[in-house]
């Protein structure tokens, strides 16, 4: 069993270089959480939470498929021959939409076309990426495969710091436990 000095040494050697990466991960994590919590998508989810969709499992297929056909016709005029990565249908809410996520002919993401689900008219055309930039920065993905590997390494470093910190705490608590009562035996 390693001595407390050995645990402290491991804790320091892992912690010193990992501190920069952990600070980066925690800062970008706070930004990701803030964007998620205060963002437009969350506000829309909250506004729609108590609403009930007019389309049910018993609705006839033309309650939603007809609009998709109209949206596809309008999209063909807006972006001829563009590959469609996915279609998202949001039937609930004050402004239901059908979104077409278009790719590039050579692959990758490109454009999102948002149509009114009631009228099939184009509401907006916007750039599209499968994840927001801050999420890709937080995960390391924005820096390529090397960034993802670094993110895995700092995740392992955090786990190692947790283990070595717990081992140090347990050893120190054990040394001080005999002279203390109640919670002070564990929190000194």
């Amino acid at each position: 069993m390693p001595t407390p000095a050995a645990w402290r040494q491991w804790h320091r050697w892992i912690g010193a270089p990992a501190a920069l990466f952990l600070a980066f991960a925690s800062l970008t994590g706070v930004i990701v959480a803030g964007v998620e919590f205060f963002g437009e998508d969350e506000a829309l989810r909250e506004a729609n939470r108590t609403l009930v969709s007019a389309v049910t499992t018993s609705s006839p297929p033309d309650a939603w498929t007809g609009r998709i056909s109209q949206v596809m016709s309008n999209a063909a005029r807006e972006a001829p021959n563009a590959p469609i990565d996915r279609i998202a249908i949001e039937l609930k809410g004050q402004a239901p939409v059908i979104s077409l996520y278009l790719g590039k002919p050579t692959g990758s993401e490109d454009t999102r076309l948002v149509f009114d689900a009631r009228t099939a008219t184009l509401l907006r055309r916007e750039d599209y990426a499968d994840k927001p930039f801050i999420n890709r920065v937080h995960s390391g993905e924005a820096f390529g495969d090397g960034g993802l590997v670094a993110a895995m390494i700092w995740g392992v470093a955090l786990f190692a710091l947790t283990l070595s910190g717990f081992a140090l705490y347990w050893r120190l608590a054990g040394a001080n436990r005999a002279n203390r009562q109640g919670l002070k035996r564990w929190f000194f």
Side-chain angles (χ1 to χ4, degrees):
M1 184 77 146
T3 65
W7 280 113
R8 277 192 298 277
Q9 183 178 8
W10 274 105
H11 194 75
R12 256 193 318 271
W13 280 103
I14 294 169
L20 294 173
F21 294 107
L22 295 173
F24 172 81
S26 63
L27 178 64
T28 57
V30 167
I31 294 169
V32 166
V35 167
E36 179 69 26
F37 188 74
F38 296 109
E40 248 180 73
D41 291 342
E42 181 61 21
L44 184 60
R45 274 191 297 274
E46 286 297 320
N48 291 340
R49 187 174 307 280
T50 58
L51 300 176
V52 178
S53 175
V55 179
T56 68
T57 55
S58 302
S59 295
D62 63 344
W64 56 277
T65 57
R67 292 291 181 237
I68 293 176
S69 297
Q70 291 174 330
V71 163
M72 292 297 285
S73 294
N74 292 344
R77 284 191 295 278
E78 183 68 28
N81 297 317
I84 299 172
D85 291 348
R86 67 183 165 119
I87 300 172
I89 306 167
E90 299 172 34
L91 300 172
K92 182 176 164 179
Q94 299 294 333
V97 295
I98 298 173
S99 298
L100 268 61
Y101 294 84
L102 307 179
K104 296 177 183 175
T106 57
S108 185
E109 300 89 19
D110 187 28
T111 304
R112 176 182 176 207
L113 301 177
V114 181
F115 294 88
D116 185 315
R118 295 170 294 207
T119 64
T121 57
L122 181 65
L123 298 174
R124 64 187 174 276
R125 179 184 189 125
E126 53 194 34
D127 290 338
Y128 151 68
D130 64 340
K131 294 179 195 170
F133 180 69
I134 188 64
N135 291 49
R136 293 193 327 263
V137 169
H138 178 65
S139 70
E141 184 181 359
F143 308 108
D145 289 343
L148 288 171
V149 170
M152 289 185 273
I153 290 170
W154 74 59
V156 169
L158 180 57
F159 184 70
L161 285 170
T162 301
L163 289 179
S164 62
F166 183 75
L168 284 168
Y169 166 78
W170 191 255
R171 287 285 181 106
L172 290 171
N176 292 322
R177 204 174 312 137
N179 302 334
R180 311 235 179 208
Q181 296 295 321
L183 287 177
K184 289 185 179 180
R185 289 181 77 178
W186 302 104
F187 301 100
F188 48 90

